[in-house]
Amino acid sequence: AQSVTQPDIHITVSEGASLELRCNYSYGATPYLFWYVQSPGQGLQLLLKYFSGDTLVQGIKGFEAEFKRSQSSFNLRKPSVHWSDAAEYFCAVAARYSGGGADGLTFGKGTHLIIQP
Amino acid sequence: KAGVTQTPRYLIKTRGQQVTLSCSPISGHRSVSWYQQTPGQGLQFLFEYFSETQRNKGNFPGRFSGRQFSNSRSEMNVSTLELGDSALYLCASSPIPGASSYNEQFFGPGTRLTVL
C-alpha cells in the first residue's frame, strides 16, 4: 500500500522568505501526486498535481513542486511567502489504475505553516 | 457554478447514536468520495461512489456506510457512534471516478461531528 511522509509537522517562515515543504512517498510505481492546502474551517483546495511529463509543475498561488523519482519526493516550493499562505499543507498520492476502481487519495499528516511578520 | 455542499456543518451526538451526513456534488459531477479527518489519524479515505455504486472502501468498520442517489447526491451514515468517530468528514466530488480525474476534484467544507 502507498504511504506519504511529511517530515515537518510545523514550519515557521518569515513573510517574503522562500518556502520548501517536504514530501516523500512510498509506492511500487510512480503514483499521481498532489499538494493541497487547508485553511482553518475550510475544505481542501488543490494547489497542483503531477501526473506525468515535466517534473517541475506549476500550481496556483505561486506554488511549484518538483517530482524526483530517485528520491521518491515531491517537494512544494514558493519563492516568497505571504501572510495569507499560513495554513495546513497536505501532500497526497493516488494509485494509477488502467481501469476499475480507485483507492482514493492517501494523504500525509500535513505541515502547519506559520508566517512570521 | 456552486461548490460542493455538505450538511449539516456541525453535529453533536452521543455515544451509541447514529448519524447521517449529506453531500451535494458540483453540478455535472457524478463521483463522490468521503474522507475522515482527525488530529491523530489525519485524512483517511472512507469510500467512493459513482452511478449509485460504491466503487471502493477504505479501512473502516462496517458501522460506516454510504449511498449515492440518482442525482449524484451522497449520504454517509455512521451507526453506534463511538468517541473516536469525532472528526471532520469531508466530501469531494469529481466528474468521474479514479485518480486521473482528481485534478478536477473539489472538496466541500466538511461536517464537524462531535461525539460525547
Side-chain angles (χ1 to χ4, degrees):
Chain A
Q2 61 260 35
S3 66
V4 179
T5 302
Q6 293 181 246
D8 303 304
I9 299 174
H10 300 276
I11 281 188
T12 301
V13 178
S14 298
E15 190 169 15
S18 63
L19 169 71
E20 182 169 28
L21 302 182
R22 295 182 291 165
C23 172
N24 292 95
Y25 67 89
S26 174
Y27 185 59
T30 300
Y32 293 127
L33 296 157
F34 306 82
W35 274 99
Y36 290 86
V37 61
Q38 185 178 37
S39 298
Q42 303 296 314
L44 296 167
Q45 182 181 23
L46 178 65
L47 287 174
L48 46 76
K49 85 285 184 185
Y50 173 77
F51 282 4
S52 64
D54 193 348
T55 56
L56 184 64
V57 294
Q58 303 297 321
I60 62 171
K61 304 185 179 187
F63 286 93
E64 66 178 26
E66 186 171 14
F67 167 60
K68 292 186 177 180
R69 186 191 310 271
S70 61
Q71 298 176 19
S72 296
S73 69
F74 189 55
N75 294 347
L76 182 72
R77 300 194 294 249
K78 187 170 185 178
S80 176
V81 298
H82 185 262
W83 63 266
S84 59
D85 293 325
E88 193 83 15
Y89 290 80
F90 294 93
C91 180
V93 303
R96 297 172 183 259
Y97 287 98
S98 58
D103 288 334
L105 289 159
T106 299
F107 287 90
K109 291 295 179 70
T111 297
H112 184 62
L113 176 62
I114 300 166
I115 307 295
Q116 279 184 336
Chain B
K1 187 186 262 191
V4 178
T5 305
Q6 291 189 247
T7 57
R9 291 293 309 277
Y10 302 90
L11 265 180
I12 299 176
K13 293 286 187 179
T14 57
R15 278 181 300 175
Q17 287 186 312
Q18 76 164 18
V19 67
T20 299
L21 312 182
S22 179
C23 172
S24 294
I26 289 172
S27 177
H29 283 195
R30 298 169 58 201
S31 176
V32 173
S33 299
W34 289 88
Y35 291 84
Q36 182 196 63
Q37 185 176 22
T38 61
Q41 298 300 314
L43 281 152
Q44 294 183 282
F45 172 73
L46 277 159
F47 25 64
E48 182 178 32
Y49 284 88
F50 176 72
S51 292
E52 303 176 62
T53 301
Q54 185 181 92
R55 293 177 57 84
N56 265 292
K57 184 172 183 179
N59 188 25
F60 280 84
R63 300 185 297 107
F64 291 82
S65 63
R67 59 178 175 169
Q68 187 181 35
F69 301 95
S70 58
N71 62 356
S72 296
R73 189 176 70 85
S74 177
E75 290 181 345
M76 67 163 283
N77 184 276
V78 187
S79 62
T80 319
L81 284 166
E82 300 177 359
L83 296 179
D85 297 333
S86 294
L88 180 67
Y89 290 88
L90 292 167
C91 161
S93 80
S94 55
I96 57 174
S100 61
S101 74
Y102 287 169
N103 59 318
E104 298 175 84
Q105 183 181 68
F106 292 89
F107 282 80
T111 293
R112 173 74 63 185
L113 172 64
T114 302
V115 182
L116 303 176

